[in-house]
């Protein structure tokens, strides 16, 4: 199984900050990577797929980059609605697997 | 808009069975693979199973093989997850999710990207 590792586990930031979350795969997955946002008590929401393609309706302050084994989710100008937990997920091969999550909290 | 509504969650004793349902609307259900993804309390996300658009192919996380069965009824826009021999560690919120796949040449493909999710069904396995 492909293992996904995110860093940091928790990130403290302020409204207006630029934040970056890293995700690493233990083998090359090309650009078969997705990012999800999850708020407490809610289902995850797809933000980005194929490493850098923004899902319809997702604000342009979200962006994704990377290929192979190293990926980054960047949020420019953090908004109050962005405080949540973010998961990366490899969609290269079954079983599809997630990172452990990064919680973005208010500083 | 796409809507997925799960039902069937509850409290069950270890070793017993439970069947979840997920009713879909707002898209051409028969053209998409559908998945179950779970999340244990306070934990991360774990993919459980997928069923192809036509119900002919199913894949499972290894730890679920032989215990869980995914199925679908395209006439009812519904997928199911039958869970047998339940364990305490199966306690989780179970989400059904729509694959962001595509159709080509008469076949529809699942890509393991989930663009719509239900609200989740809580399954608690406890004696």
């Amino acid at each position: 199984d492909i293992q996904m590792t995110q860093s940091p586990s928790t990130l403290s930031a302020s409204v207006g900050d630029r934040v970056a979350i890293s995700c690493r795969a233990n083998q090359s997955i090309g650009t078969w990577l997705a990012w999800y946002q999850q708020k407490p008590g809610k289902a995850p929401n797809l933000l980005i797929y194929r490493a850098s393609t923004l899902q319809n309706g997702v604000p342009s302050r979200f962006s994704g980059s990377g290929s192979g084994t190293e990926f980054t989710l960047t949020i420019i100008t953090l908004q109050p609605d962005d405080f949540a937990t973010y998961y990366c997920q490899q969609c290269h091969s079954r079983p599809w697997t997630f990172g452990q999550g990064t919680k973005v909290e208010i500083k | 808009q796409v809507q997925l509504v799960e039902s069937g969650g509850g409290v069950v004793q270890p070793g017993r069975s439970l069947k979840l349902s997920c009713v879909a609307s707002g898209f051409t259900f028969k053209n998409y693979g559908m998945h179950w993804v779970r999340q244990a309390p306070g934990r991360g996300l774990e993919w459980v199973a997928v069923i192809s658009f036509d119900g002919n192919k199913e894949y499972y996380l290894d730890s679920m093989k032989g215990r869980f069965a995914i199925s679908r009824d395209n006439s009812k826009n519904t997928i199911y997850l039958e869970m047998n021999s339940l364990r305490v560690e199966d306690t989780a919120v179970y989400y059904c999710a729509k694959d962001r796949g595509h159709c080509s040449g008469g076949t529809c493909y699942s890509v393991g990207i989930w663009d719509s999710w239900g609200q989740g069904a809580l399954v608690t396995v406890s004696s």
Side-chain angles (χ1 to χ4, degrees):
Chain A
D1 299 1
I2 298 174
Q3 294 182 7
M4 308 300 293
T5 304
Q6 288 180 234
S7 61
S9 295
T10 306
L11 191 160
S12 297
S14 301
V15 172
D17 284 354
R18 178 183 182 278
V19 301
I21 299 169
S22 295
C23 177
R24 175 177 293 179
N26 69 343
Q27 65 184 76
S28 179
I29 58 171
T31 57
W32 291 103
L33 186 99
W35 289 97
Y36 299 84
Q37 177 194 67
Q38 187 179 33
K39 297 181 180 178
K42 300 294 186 182
N45 181 47
L46 177 65
L47 299 175
I48 287 169
Y49 60 96
R50 292 307 303 271
S52 61
T53 302
L54 211 60
Q55 171 70 352
N56 289 344
V58 174
S60 58
R61 63 180 181 273
F62 291 92
S63 65
S65 63
S67 66
T69 61
E70 301 282 345
F71 302 88
T72 303
L73 173 70
T74 302
I75 312 170
I76 59 170
T77 320
L78 198 66
Q79 297 299 301
D81 192 48
D82 301 337
F83 292 97
T85 299
Y86 294 85
Y87 292 93
C88 64
Q89 175 240 333
Q90 64 84 13
C91 38
H92 176 271
S93 55
R94 290 186 305 268
W96 296 293
T97 48
F98 294 87
Q100 79 280 14
T102 295
K103 183 177 181 181
V104 177
E105 60 180 25
I106 301 173
K107 183 186 285 184
Chain B
Q1 73 281 19
V2 174
Q3 197 168 15
L4 301 170
V5 180
E6 299 98 336
S7 61
V11 180
V12 61
Q13 292 179 326
R16 303 299 290 265
S17 300
L18 201 64
K19 187 173 184 177
L20 304 180
S21 302
C22 171
V23 179
S25 60
F27 65 102
T28 306
F29 179 74
K30 64 183 176 67
N31 285 352
Y32 291 91
M34 295 293 295
H35 302 253
W36 289 97
V37 178
R38 72 181 184 181
Q39 186 169 36
R43 305 294 296 274
L45 298 161
E46 181 176 56
W47 171 76
V48 172
V50 60
I51 188 163
S52 62
F53 71 105
D54 55 6
N56 286 341
K57 295 180 183 176
E58 307 156 26
Y59 299 97
Y60 300 88
L61 189 64
D62 279 353
S63 58
M64 281 72 171
K65 281 180 188 173
R67 296 194 305 126
F68 288 13
I70 188 171
S71 60
R72 68 189 294 160
D73 184 339
N74 283 351
S75 69
K76 296 181 179 178
N77 281 13
T78 302
I79 65 165
Y80 305 94
L81 184 68
E82 184 149 17
M83 302 180 289
N84 301 307
S85 303
L86 281 162
R87 306 166 181 167
V88 171
E89 54 267 33
D90 293 320
T91 294
V93 174
Y94 286 74
Y95 295 102
C96 74
K98 170 187 167 289
D99 195 278
R100 199 190 178 285
H102 63 278
C103 297
S104 175
T107 296
C108 300
Y109 300 90
S110 297
V111 294
I113 301 169
W114 306 296
D115 61 3
S116 296
W117 298 63
Q119 84 287 354
L122 176 61
V123 173
T124 303
V125 184
S126 173
S127 54

